[in-house]
Amino acid sequence: MEDKADDAEFVMVPELDKLLEQDPFLKPYKKDFQRRYTLFVELLKKIEGCEGGLEKFSRSYQSFGIHTQPDGGIYCKEWAPGAEAVFLTGDFNDWNPFSHPYKKLDFGKWELYIPPREDKLPVILHGSKIKVAIKTKSGEVIYRISPWAKYVLQEEKKVVYDWVHWQPAESYTRKYERPKKSNSIRIYESHVGIASPEGKIASYKNFTYNVLPKIKDLGYNCIQLMAVMEHAYYASFGYQITSFFAASSRYGTPDELKELVDVAHSMGIQVLLDVVHSHASRNSEDGLNQFDGTNACFFHDGPRGNHDLWDSRLFDYSNWEVLRFLLSNLRWWIEEYGFDGFRFDGVTSMLYHHHGIGCGFTGDYNEYFGLQVDEESLLYLMIANHMTHSLYPDCITIAEDVSGMPALCCPVTQGGGGFDYRLAMAVPDKWIQILKEYKDEEWNIGDIVHTLTNRRYNEKCIAYAESHDQALVGDKTLAFWLMDAEMYSNMSVLSPLTPVIDRGIQLHKMIRLITHALGGEGYLNFMGNEFGHPEWLDFPRKGNNESYHYARRQFHLSEDQILRYRFLYAFDRDMNRLEGKFGWLSSPPAYVSAKHQGDKLIAFERANLLFIFNFHPSKSFTGYRIAVNIPGKYIIALDTDSEEYGGHKRIDHKTEFFTENFPYNNRQYSLLVPRNRAKT
């Protein structure tokens, strides 16, 4: 009776029983899910009552900021609750700070209407530079860029950014339909600025016409674009956002980004934005920090508003106007630029008051519930996922979460966070640990399989062997861990194949294939890593004399027929194409029939394919028995030892393998195969 009375305090979670049936260990935390869902429903009702619904609320970018009206007038609106007065200044009024004051509205909002000129043209023209002038409570006048600015530009030799009114007479018009969401998502993680072999900041145009064809050829059906939201400090890799609605001008114009997304769509490729809503830059000249002259406004005041490790500001997700701003920001990137979804950065930091700092996350369920959870942030993520998926059914959302919070990637109707996928962040860490700490003969096969298969049932994961994190200066890519300095001297086919290069090329392919096939329901690769890019990634900064030498990708290496990089490129391409044909990422998890420590062998079945990996550094056997569940004739579909992938051609691809009615390793049938390096 007490349980029923307690339940009556909460809104019924429609599919909570399904979640608890899948994971009975969550039953003690039933009330936590009920409370979270009740808060979610109550917030939706408030938005409906106060704003006319989530659809309208999340289009607030249509009124906030600065907008040219059909009659040629200019309408401006800002939220600056700590301001004493607000003005608009710029080229249009010779930078007079007080000639165009905003009118104060309720709830800290301000508005301004500027009538058109006598010739009906707007007073503020496309390309004009403008600023918001804020008079603070202390009487100081500070100059700020609108949080809703669509375009900001840093002129050469200038320290601060200019807010540029972006209202072209003709804007880019989309020509192609959005691709339908694929059940097998293969992501090419990309950074526009480094997508060129030249030591400079590359452009949207370069990416559209030189990189997109490579991505299509490689078999990736999704791109994750990093560092697009404007950031004043290039070396922050796009993680210190200053203008949330502005596409970075260092790569080109907004129209050129729209064209990039549109051309990707023409190739059947979805485009995700790496969205940073977990924190914001502390920069007050160019960013949101102290927009109205106070420490609060968009952020928590006091210590809660600061992330000590990232030296950045933390949003107050309980604030109505912050919710308006962030939800509208998601809608803006989808509606204006055509993005197909988001990879949410720093979700672990958002989910917990401790931000994951000093927390190892052992898997104890008590870590995911209780006072350490920031339910205001979690509620924002639930609302954000609900909005994107209800308005755009083909939208994809991915959580960068290292904590493994249960139900984060379950539907909101189950009491979950609503994400489609989470990044399998333990997988790349495991590969780096193995290569860094163990000899080949010491590899723990069971540990590898456990890491690749250890994910929550019915919560999808994006598996990856390495991402941008492993490419950054201070770390090493897998290729560099495997081959190190010999990558600079022995990657030519005209030079002898050394043991280091031979081992590196073979393991590079095998690590990627087993991660792709066993590690999740999606796959991710950082640009250039598919062919073993030989250098790490480092942006121009004081520590390297502002050099662009490492802030580039040398795509030409994979195109040079004399270099062995082309073997890795060809394998990555054919691996993706094989997945596209058989769809193992959208199939149920693999059945692992063998993980033999002594033989260093792993065998598993997935999507009507049989995968066999021999990680032994020196042994190769013939007549090795492998268990299968489907009888019949098996042929080779992909072989890492093929000559076109830099292998040694030790397996005859004309060989046919027939099953025997011989039960083995808990499977009904088995077959004998010549055992070699990885084979599918």
Side-chain angles (χ1 to χ4, degrees), residues 498-512:
T498 67
V500 169
I501 296 298
D502 189 18
R503 168 184 177 267
I505 287 177
Q506 310 318 323
L507 284 177
H508 194 273
K509 293 178 290 187
M510 293 171 66
I511 287 171
R512 300 179 108 65

Side-chain angles (χ1 to χ4, degrees), residues 534-670:
E535 293 176 338
W536 59 28
L537 178 63
D538 188 17
F539 288 87
R541 53 188 174 84
K542 288 183 179 179
N544 63 15
N545 295 318
E546 304 296 335
S547 172
Y548 285 88
H549 179 75
Y550 295 109
R552 60 192 181 117
R553 295 282 93 175
Q554 300 180 67
F555 291 113
H556 60 282
L557 296 177
S558 65
E559 299 164 359
D560 193 330
Q561 295 303 298
I562 293 178
L563 298 179
R564 294 186 168 102
Y565 294 104
R566 67 181 173 89
F567 299 141
L568 299 179
Y569 180 99
F571 180 78
D572 198 80
R573 176 197 65 208
D574 292 352
M575 174 179 67
N576 280 320
R577 290 180 179 180
L578 187 67
E579 196 290 325
K581 180 179 179 181
F582 286 90
W584 62 68
L585 291 171
S586 58
S587 298
Y591 180 87
V592 180
S593 60
K595 44 183 176 180
H596 198 288
Q597 178 62 23
D599 292 340
K600 295 289 186 281
L601 181 133
I602 300 170
F604 57 88
E605 299 160 275
R606 193 176 186 187
N608 285 337
L609 292 171
L610 170 62
F611 295 84
I612 308 170
F613 292 82
N614 171 20
F615 282 102
H616 203 288
S618 59
K619 291 183 180 180
S620 182
F621 301 117
T622 58
Y624 202 92
R625 187 167 294 278
I626 298 293
V628 293
N629 203 44
I630 302 175
K633 179 178 72 174
Y634 285 72
I635 59 173
I636 295 172
L638 186 66
D639 175 17
T640 63
D641 202 42
S642 295
E643 185 177 25
E644 63 264 38
Y645 310 139
H648 300 280
K649 301 189 298 181
R650 289 171 290 194
I651 297 177
D652 184 359
H653 286 202
K654 295 179 182 178
T655 305
E656 298 175 339
F657 305 90
F658 294 89
T659 58
E660 302 174 27
N661 193 13
F662 188 101
Y664 189 68
N665 282 355
N666 298 316
R667 304 304 261 176
Q668 190 171 353
Y669 306 96
S670 61

Side-chain angles (χ1 to χ4, degrees), residues 244-293:
F244 283 74
F245 284 81
S248 182
S249 58
R250 55 172 57 88
Y251 316 129
T253 68
D255 280 1
E256 289 167 347
L257 175 57
K258 293 175 186 177
E259 181 187 31
L260 187 163
V261 175
D262 198 30
V263 173
H265 287 169
S266 76
M267 299 177 177
I269 299 172
Q270 289 190 289
V271 187
L272 308 182
L273 178 69
D274 200 45
V275 72
V276 185
H277 282 182
S278 50
H279 64 125
S281 172
R282 189 177 288 277
N283 181 333
S284 58
E285 290 288 341
D286 305 306
L288 297 182
N289 190 30
Q290 297 183 335
F291 172 68
D292 65 353

Side-chain angles (χ1 to χ4, degrees), residues 6-51:
D6 289 340
D7 289 349
E9 300 172 7
F10 301 112
V11 175
M12 185 183 74
V13 187
E15 297 179 296
L16 180 58
D17 289 343
K18 183 177 180 180
L19 174 66
L20 301 181
E21 184 179 339
Q22 288 175 182
D23 186 354
F25 291 103
L26 288 175
K27 288 182 178 179
Y29 308 99
K30 177 181 178 181
K31 287 185 174 59
D32 291 271
F33 288 108
Q34 290 175 318
R35 182 182 63 258
R36 294 171 182 178
Y37 187 77
T38 299
L39 293 172
F40 164 78
V41 171
E42 289 176 348
L43 180 56
L44 277 183
K45 288 181 178 178
K46 287 180 182 177
I47 292 173
E48 183 69 38
C50 299
E51 301 284 348

